[in-house]
Amino acid sequence: MNPEDLRLVEIEQTKSKEELLEIIVMLKKELSGSKSYRIENDAALMAMNREFIKVQEERDRLKKENHDLKAALILANEQSKLKTKDLFGRSSEKLLDLTDTDPEIEEIDEAETDIIDFYMAKEKIHYDRGNIRHTVKKIAGKRKELLDRLPQQDRFLLDAEALDIEYGQRNWRIAFWRRHRVVEKNPVVYYTLNTYTPVISVGLEHMLYTVPYCSILPGSYASSSLLTDIVYQKFFMAGTYYRLEHSLENFGVSISRQTMSNWLLYFSSNYFSQIQAHMHDLLMLSPYHQCDETTIRVNNDGRKAGSRSYFWVHITSELLDTHPIVEFCYELTRGTDHLRKFYEDFEGFITCDAYCSYRILGEENMNVIIICGCAMHMRRRYAQSLALIDKSAMTDDEIDQLIEVKALGLIGQIYDADEKLKTYAADERKAKRDTLVRPLVEAYYEYIESLDTDAPEMSNRLRDAISYSLNQKEYLCRFLQDGNVPIDDGATERHIRSLAIARNNFLFCSSVKGAEAVATMFTVIETAKANKANVYLYLKYIFDEISKHVYNKKFENLEDMMPWSDAFIRYEQSHRDMLVPDASPNEYRERPKIPPKIPNEGISA
């Protein structure tokens, strides 16, 4: 014990036993109170600790929520910017369009384009940015080609009396004729065609017989030309039944929307479906396909409101030297079942995007169905990332150093090299790809593999673009294996665009049968467009053939119903020259040899 403790012991030894007992009791009470206080204090500390943990958890939750909200806000802003660009900006994904804007070119008035095109045809205008060189040049003879392929009608304007007054009677002659070319359109005329068939009396009994008359739709006033116009306006021109109804009313024809819809469903299911089925059979003979899908809303499909349905689009490879075929298929879902059914007996290549169902199909049919990637989707991710960067304050050198610009430049070189090979045969194209395209593909992947995707300054969009290329490398490089496989699936997207424009107008289909009819009609029309047929005349040809098969509802030769058939080509050639209005005064359909003689005194008429 220390001295202080010894001093306290000496003091306590002088106290009596009763005093010591009182001290002990007092100390025990203090000890008991201290224990109670400590217990309460511990309980309070534990409660405070629990509250502190709750506060920490709440703080972490709020931080995570704040982080997620910021990420969602950034994503929403990016989507808004991309949507604004899609609506009002350039649709091109070319590098020059994404990195440079020339206000003098963008602000050209449409009325001045002919003058500007004239000067551009004489002198090329170049835009240089770094190692990127863009040339604007009018294609020589494009206008002449346009005018020459239309039906021709000549008219010669000559007002001899006016010329006599202006230059003196017989004081002028025609040196030569100057040609002025414009495109004219005949006014739309709807009229009632009254067709009479004889009722004949036969024999002495005078039995009456009516010579049969074949109407395209018995009991209806529909004609092949009227039906052609409705289908053409509805699908090729992306119209709606409401607009068609009012357009026809403007010309004095009253046809309700329901009637037009019923006609479409009838002819689609009974006749056009036969043409689609034959096109499907021909499509499946090709071992090179391209595929994509898009959404459609169907109101009465037996599911809850707002459920999405899908149009699947299958086409022959754009590089095949055959008649292209485009088929639209309606499905309730985007599941793999459609692909399994459609490609049940298929062997070959399918070019598509990175949607998982295509990969599943390829894995289930290993070495039978080869799935190939789409470089357009690879490029689009870089383009979107670049579009979100504010480049207004950046110099050209700073823009050129952006990862997106470098990647797009390398991808552009791949596209430029492959584009030049489209006119080659498949085997030669593959050989050229090995020597010209493959090194560019390897250079692109060498560059992106050298990038650090974990760098904090790298945006999520750019990181996604790089990851997409790396994850899809096996599929994206498969176009190098076969000359008939295209580098991307852009051809399918271009055919889907027609449907997307129409969908923006009619918004939805009322029933599953209506959606199937839409798929059938777009199959026929897009295949005709792909084969460069006159779609209006092709539809007219089909309806004219339907009128010959009203009762059996079956085409005799489906091959003749294809847009490349000799039968249709003959029909198209014979119907291209449309009726023209009668000549007006002072107009002549043939070239006048001399001015008409005008009677005058001293001059014989």
Side-chain angles (χ1 to χ4, degrees), residues 19-35:
E19 289 177 336
L20 292 174
L21 290 174
E22 289 178 2
I23 293 173
I24 292 172
V25 171
M26 181 185 65
L27 291 174
K28 284 187 175 182
K29 288 181 180 181
E30 291 180 357
L31 179 61
S32 176
S34 177
K35 286 182 178 179

Side-chain angles (χ1 to χ4, degrees), residues 13-257:
Q13 286 177 349
T14 61
K15 293 182 178 181
S16 64
K17 181 178 180 181
E18 288 76 8
E19 289 177 336
L20 292 174
L21 290 174
E22 289 178 2
I23 293 173
I24 292 172
V25 171
M26 181 185 65
L27 291 174
K28 284 187 175 182
K29 288 181 180 181
E30 291 180 357
L31 179 61
S32 176
S34 177
K35 286 182 178 179
S36 300
Y37 175 78
R38 187 176 64 184
I39 291 173
E40 292 176 359
N41 190 50
D42 290 344
L45 288 174
M46 292 179 63
M48 292 174 62
N49 187 54
R50 287 194 296 269
E51 289 297 323
F52 179 72
I53 292 174
K54 287 182 180 179
V55 170
Q56 281 187 320
E57 292 175 349
E58 181 68 11
R59 181 204 62 185
D60 295 339
R61 185 187 68 80
L62 291 174
K63 286 178 65 177
K64 183 179 183 303
E65 182 179 347
N66 184 52
H67 178 271
D68 294 342
L69 288 174
K70 284 183 177 179
L73 180 61
I74 292 172
L75 179 61
N77 287 334
E78 290 178 351
Q79 291 174 342
S80 176
K81 289 181 181 179
L82 293 175
K83 187 66 175 178
T84 302
K85 176 183 175 297
D86 291 340
L87 291 174
F88 307 108
R90 295 177 176 178
S91 59
S92 172
E93 293 178 359
K94 293 180 179 179
L95 181 56
L96 182 66
D97 294 333
L98 293 168
T99 58
D100 193 24
T101 301
D102 192 317
E104 294 183 1
I105 298 299
E106 284 205 334
E107 294 177 5
I108 289 176
D109 183 68
E110 290 184 2
E112 301 174 357
T113 53
D114 289 345
I115 300 174
I116 293 170
D117 285 346
F118 172 77
Y119 288 106
M120 284 185 174
K122 287 191 171 184
E123 180 179 357
K124 295 181 180 180
I125 302 176
H126 298 285
Y127 305 97
D128 293 308
R129 245 196 23 79
N131 58 349
I132 303 168
R133 190 170 182 84
H134 181 63
T135 303
V136 177
K137 182 183 179 183
K138 182 180 177 182
I139 301 175
K142 187 175 181 180
R143 177 179 296 184
K144 183 178 183 302
E145 179 185 353
L146 164 67
L147 296 174
D148 286 347
R149 69 168 176 253
L150 293 174
Q152 304 294 309
Q153 175 64 44
D154 296 330
R155 73 169 180 172
F156 297 85
L157 301 179
L158 179 63
D159 188 346
E161 293 181 0
L163 293 175
D164 283 342
I165 295 173
E166 179 72 19
Y167 301 105
Q169 192 173 27
R170 301 302 177 88
N171 192 38
W172 56 273
R173 65 183 181 84
I174 299 175
F176 59 90
W177 295 86
R178 186 181 299 279
R179 184 171 67 172
H180 312 272
R181 309 186 81 184
V182 295
V183 176
E184 291 279 356
K185 180 183 182 299
N186 280 339
V188 178
V189 177
Y190 293 89
Y191 62 94
T192 300
L193 177 63
N194 299 306
T195 302
Y196 296 89
T197 57
V199 179
I200 60 176
S201 174
V202 179
L204 297 176
E205 296 81 4
H206 299 289
M207 300 295 294
L208 298 179
Y209 294 94
T210 300
V211 174
Y213 170 69
C214 187
S215 173
I216 191 171
L217 190 61
S220 169
Y221 52 81
S223 66
S224 60
S225 60
L226 179 61
L227 291 167
T228 298
D229 189 56
I230 291 173
V231 173
Y232 183 83
Q233 294 295 331
K234 169 68 177 173
F235 295 102
F236 186 83
M237 298 301 294
T240 62
Y241 287 131
Y242 176 83
R243 295 177 184 174
L244 284 170
E245 182 181 26
H246 284 270
S247 176
L248 290 169
E249 284 181 356
N250 185 55
F251 290 97
V253 182
S254 180
I255 305 176
S256 68
R257 285 166 277 175

Side-chain angles (χ1 to χ4, degrees), residues 144-410:
K144 183 178 183 302
E145 179 185 353
L146 164 67
L147 296 174
D148 286 347
R149 69 168 176 253
L150 293 174
Q152 304 294 309
Q153 175 64 44
D154 296 330
R155 73 169 180 172
F156 297 85
L157 301 179
L158 179 63
D159 188 346
E161 293 181 0
L163 293 175
D164 283 342
I165 295 173
E166 179 72 19
Y167 301 105
Q169 192 173 27
R170 301 302 177 88
N171 192 38
W172 56 273
R173 65 183 181 84
I174 299 175
F176 59 90
W177 295 86
R178 186 181 299 279
R179 184 171 67 172
H180 312 272
R181 309 186 81 184
V182 295
V183 176
E184 291 279 356
K185 180 183 182 299
N186 280 339
V188 178
V189 177
Y190 293 89
Y191 62 94
T192 300
L193 177 63
N194 299 306
T195 302
Y196 296 89
T197 57
V199 179
I200 60 176
S201 174
V202 179
L204 297 176
E205 296 81 4
H206 299 289
M207 300 295 294
L208 298 179
Y209 294 94
T210 300
V211 174
Y213 170 69
C214 187
S215 173
I216 191 171
L217 190 61
S220 169
Y221 52 81
S223 66
S224 60
S225 60
L226 179 61
L227 291 167
T228 298
D229 189 56
I230 291 173
V231 173
Y232 183 83
Q233 294 295 331
K234 169 68 177 173
F235 295 102
F236 186 83
M237 298 301 294
T240 62
Y241 287 131
Y242 176 83
R243 295 177 184 174
L244 284 170
E245 182 181 26
H246 284 270
S247 176
L248 290 169
E249 284 181 356
N250 185 55
F251 290 97
V253 182
S254 180
I255 305 176
S256 68
R257 285 166 277 175
Q258 187 61 55
T259 298
M260 288 187 280
S261 177
N262 291 338
W263 287 353
L264 172 63
L265 291 174
Y266 174 80
F267 286 101
S268 173
S269 61
N270 287 288
Y271 297 99
F272 283 84
S273 59
Q274 299 179 45
I275 300 174
Q276 181 186 26
H278 188 66
M279 289 178 174
H280 172 79
D281 293 339
L282 297 176
L283 174 66
M284 299 313 295
L285 295 177
S286 170
Y288 299 94
H289 282 202
Q290 296 178 233
C291 184
D292 206 347
E293 70 286 333
T294 188
T295 59
I296 184 67
R297 198 180 80 188
V298 180
N299 285 348
N300 302 307
D301 60 359
R303 299 181 296 170
K304 65 179 182 180
S307 298
R308 286 185 176 182
S309 298
Y310 289 86
F311 281 124
W312 293 80
V313 185
H314 307 269
I315 72 172
T316 51
S317 170
E318 62 178 311
L319 297 179
L320 284 179
D321 189 19
T322 58
H323 299 298
I325 298 174
V326 182
E327 183 175 8
F328 287 72
C329 302
Y330 168 73
E331 291 289 346
L332 285 175
T333 69
R334 199 187 181 195
T336 314
D337 289 341
H338 167 76
L339 295 175
R340 292 191 182 105
K341 181 179 178 181
F342 193 91
Y343 291 112
E344 184 177 4
D345 300 319
F346 178 78
E347 294 185 16
F349 296 81
I350 302 176
T351 301
C352 52
D353 57 29
Y355 178 49
C356 60
S357 287
Y358 299 113
R359 306 293 179 258
I360 294 173
L361 180 70
E363 292 170 0
E364 292 177 350
N365 299 270
M366 194 72 67
N367 300 323
V368 177
I369 297 179
I370 310 300
I371 303 298
C372 306
C374 173
M376 184 179 292
H377 285 75
M378 172 181 70
R379 180 183 63 189
R380 187 169 298 156
R381 282 167 163 77
Y382 289 108
Q384 291 175 345
S385 178
L386 181 58
L388 295 172
I389 298 176
D390 184 8
K391 300 176 285 294
S392 58
M394 300 176 66
T395 65
D396 286 349
D397 291 337
E398 290 173 336
I399 293 176
D400 290 339
Q401 294 305 312
L402 292 173
I403 296 175
E404 291 90 344
V405 172
K406 292 181 178 180
L408 286 170
L410 293 171

Side-chain angles (χ1 to χ4, degrees), residues 491-519:
T492 313
E493 291 192 5
R494 288 188 287 274
H495 287 294
I496 287 179
R497 180 173 176 79
S498 299
L499 172 62
I501 293 173
R503 180 184 58 200
N504 288 341
N505 292 332
F506 62 69
L507 300 180
F508 58 85
C509 296
S510 296
S511 64
V512 171
K513 288 185 177 180
E516 291 173 346
V518 169

